[in-house]
């Protein structure tokens, strides 16, 4: 296929409630939406870089620059044979994996629409619904946290992740465990500790957690391997895994026992599937992480999480957990068994509410 036109938009969507992690607090979620036209088909892709460089060095503005000034000019009107072919055409750009992943998603959507097949099927997924959980931001007090978790349990979520940071970690997690003894519970530190300071987390090892996510630095595999030796609870890596090579090295070094896969973080769905395949072949559990996506990115996450190796619930929640209004006509809701149904329509399986899209568009740029 040849992509003849692309529109790139900077979106800002107000969150229903502020989301706080160890790297900061946000009231709104920014991202880029790519609209790619090939023949008479329109494909969409979400680039999950945020406004601030807190989770990753990439931001909406770096992605805007890399896509607009380098990647889009290089691929426009070129024959693109497959997502892999697109990746080889983007190879001249070092890093900037979220920018690349956003465009790759639009190409997957176009391929699915051209072939009349849902993304789930293109990726090799079989599940028609996937187990999900909710990621709960840092709250003002342990009792506030209990109330928020209670609210999500009342909505039907059966797995909860709580964000932690130094000073808001052990007491918070112990409190939740005490109030909800059987809850499937995990924590995420987003790189807030160092090997020397992570010993404060040792009481967590007695709380029957599913996993402890990304306690140490984003560029560190070695110290995670040292930390994992002191914990029975599996360490799960998020920020540290940017490629299938990192995943292989992390497993060889025993830096983790579980991997969180986000297509945006690893440069796209192709690399995400490769990491899944590696882990699946070694019986290493993986799960689908989230980046507070719009309906576009959520559809992509659901398709990815339908692959057989995704054996733990994903950070994929219902639309209403994030936004009052979304940019897709489809709103995702939680089934009574704490699952969300995977879209079945061709490509991502979502259609865009153009009026809603205009309301959240901060700026846009067209290429042809
Ligand atoms: O570390 O998993 C993370 C959101 C933004 C950036 C990083 C993370 C998160 C989440 C939210 O935990 C997961 C979701 O989309 O529900
Ligand atoms: Mg994480």
């Amino acid at each position: 296929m040849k992509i003849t036109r692309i529109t790139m938009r900077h979106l800002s969507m107000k969150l229903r409630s502020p989301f706080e992690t160890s790297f900061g607090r946000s009231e709104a979620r920014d991202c880029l939406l790519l609209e790619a036209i090939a023949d008479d088909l329109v494909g969409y892709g979400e680039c999950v870089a945020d406004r601030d460089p807190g989770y990753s060095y990439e931001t909406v503005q770096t992605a805007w620059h890399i896509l607009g000034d380098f990647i889009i000019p290089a691929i426009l009107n070129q024959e693109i044979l497959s997502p892999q072919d697109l990746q080889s055409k983007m190879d001249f750009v070092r890093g900037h994996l979220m920018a690349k992943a956003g465009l790759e998603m639009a190409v997957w959507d176009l391929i699915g629409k051209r072939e009349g097949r849902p993304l789930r099927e293109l990726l090799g997924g079989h599940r028609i619904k996937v187990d999900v959980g909710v990621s709960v931001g840092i709250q003002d007090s342990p009792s506030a946290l209990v109330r928020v978790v209670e609210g999500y349990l009342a909505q039907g979520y059966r797995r909860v992740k709580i964000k932690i940071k130094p000073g808001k970690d052990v007491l918070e997690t112990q409190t939740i465990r005490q109030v909800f003894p059987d809850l499937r519970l995990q924590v995420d530190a987003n790189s807030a500790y160092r090997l020397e300071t992570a010993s404060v987390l040792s009481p967590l090892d007695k709380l029957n957690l599913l996993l402890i996510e990304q306690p140490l630095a984003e560029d560190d595999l070695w110290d995670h391997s040292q930390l994992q030796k002191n914990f029975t609870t599996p360490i799960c890596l998020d920020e540290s895994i940017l490629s299938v090579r990192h995943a292989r090295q992390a497993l060889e070094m025993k830096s983790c026992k579980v991997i969180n896969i986000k297509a945006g973080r690893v440069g796209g769905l192709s690399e995400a599937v490769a990491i899944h395949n590696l882990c699946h072949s070694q019986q290493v559990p993986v799960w689908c992480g989230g980046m507070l996506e719009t309906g576009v990115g959520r559809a992509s996450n659901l398709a990815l999480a339908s692959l057989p190796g995704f054996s733990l619930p994903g950070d994929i929640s219902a639309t209403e957990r994030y936004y009052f209004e979304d940019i897709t006509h489809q709103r995702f809701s939680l089934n009574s068994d704490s699952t969300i149904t995977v879209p079945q329509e061709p490509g991502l399986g979502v259609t865009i509410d153009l009026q809603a899209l205009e309301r959240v568009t901060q700026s846009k740029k067209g290429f042809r």
Side-chain angles (χ1 to χ4, degrees):
M1 71 171 73
K2 277 186 185 161
I3 298 176
T4 49
R5 283 168 63 180
I6 292 182
T7 305
M8 178 164 71
R9 293 169 186 258
H10 172 185
L11 310 186
S12 184
M13 313 231 313
K14 193 179 180 316
L15 290 163
R16 283 181 76 126
S17 53
F19 189 68
E20 186 172 332
T21 63
S22 65
F23 56 81
R25 178 183 170 90
S26 44
E27 313 260 334
R29 177 67 169 113
D30 288 22
C31 68
L32 289 185
L33 186 76
L34 296 164
E35 180 192 74
I37 297 183
D39 301 316
D40 49 356
L41 295 172
V42 188
Y44 289 94
E46 177 169 344
C47 165
V48 296
D50 204 344
R51 197 192 63 166
D52 301 331
Y55 169 81
S56 150
Y57 65 82
E58 288 189 84
T59 66
V60 163
Q61 292 302 325
T62 69
W64 183 276
H65 167 52
I66 294 295
L67 283 163
D69 295 336
F70 301 102
I71 294 178
I72 292 174
I75 63 100
L76 214 56
N77 297 310
Q78 303 293 311
E79 190 60 50
I80 297 169
L81 302 170
S82 62
Q84 290 68 28
D85 183 41
L86 172 71
Q87 288 293 343
S88 68
K89 290 181 162 64
M90 299 192 293
D91 253 356
F92 74 100
V93 174
R94 198 176 295 249
H96 297 282
L97 299 172
M98 292 179 181
K100 292 172 180 171
L103 184 61
E104 202 213 58
M105 192 191 297
V107 167
W108 281 103
D109 191 25
L110 284 168
I111 293 172
K113 285 169 172 163
R114 189 184 61 190
E115 298 184 6
R117 296 168 68 199
L119 178 61
R120 170 189 63 75
E121 201 178 297
L122 297 178
L123 298 179
H126 291 289
R127 293 189 191 117
I128 59 167
K129 53 186 195 169
V130 301
D131 281 323
V132 302
V134 62
S135 172
V136 179
I138 293 168
Q139 305 294 319
D140 290 338
S141 64
S143 56
L145 180 60
V146 169
R147 281 195 298 278
V148 174
V149 170
E150 252 163 10
Y152 286 124
L153 296 183
Q155 291 172 29
Y157 292 101
R158 305 275 166 70
R159 190 232 66 185
V160 170
K161 161 168 132 181
I162 59 175
K163 294 286 191 178
I164 58 169
K165 68 175 182 182
K168 287 209 168 198
D169 40 30
V170 174
L171 178 61
E172 283 70 10
T173 316
Q174 283 169 336
T175 305
I176 294 297
R177 177 46 88 216
Q178 216 158 33
V179 181
F180 309 105
D182 300 323
L183 177 62
R184 302 185 82 188
L185 180 65
Q186 60 195 59
V187 298
D188 187 1
N190 288 110
S191 296
Y193 301 85
R194 294 295 169 262
L195 189 54
E196 306 74 50
T197 58
S199 52
V200 301
L201 298 177
S202 29
L204 298 185
D205 215 20
K206 293 198 278 290
L207 299 180
N208 189 28
L209 302 179
L210 288 170
L211 54 92
I212 299 172
E213 184 177 347
Q214 195 69 40
L216 308 181
E218 74 289 353
D219 60 354
D220 198 317
L221 291 181
W222 177 254
D223 281 0
H224 277 111
S225 75
Q226 301 307 107
L227 189 67
Q228 179 68 87
K229 286 182 190 163
N230 302 327
F231 281 82
T232 316
T233 309
I235 288 177
C236 167
L237 292 178
D238 173 353
E239 284 90 325
S240 292
I241 305 296
L242 301 180
S243 63
V244 67
R245 180 166 50 79
H246 286 170
R248 175 178 57 75
Q249 292 170 352
L251 297 177
E252 284 176 7
M253 272 193 248
K254 302 192 196 311
S255 308
C256 63
K257 294 179 179 167
V258 177
I259 292 179
N260 160 329
I261 301 183
K262 293 177 182 170
R265 190 191 69 224
V266 303
L269 289 159
S270 326
E271 193 75 8
V273 171
I275 295 173
H276 159 275
N277 294 347
L278 171 77
C279 292
H280 197 41
S281 73
Q282 301 186 21
Q283 289 95 45
V284 173
V286 302
W287 55 285
C288 183
M291 294 290 286
L292 311 174
E293 286 87 352
T294 73
V296 172
R298 197 167 327 290
S300 170
N301 287 345
L302 287 164
L304 180 62
S306 75
L307 272 73
F310 285 80
S311 53
L312 289 167
D315 270 354
I316 312 172
S317 307
T319 306
E320 65 162 17
R321 178 258 175 273
Y322 306 97
Y323 304 109
F324 292 105
E325 179 186 65
D326 206 340
I327 59 169
T328 52
H329 289 117
Q330 295 75 10
R331 287 181 70 85
F332 294 98
S333 54
L334 190 68
N335 301 320
S336 58
D337 55 354
S338 195
T339 63
I340 296 183
T341 305
V342 181
Q344 294 301 330
E345 298 302 311
L348 290 167
V350 291
T351 51
I352 301 296
D353 178 341
L354 294 170
Q355 268 117 45
L357 178 61
E358 281 303 325
R359 283 193 285 276
V360 297
T361 298
Q362 305 302 299
S363 49
K364 61 180 168 187
K365 189 169 179 180
F367 302 84
R368 56 195 311 161

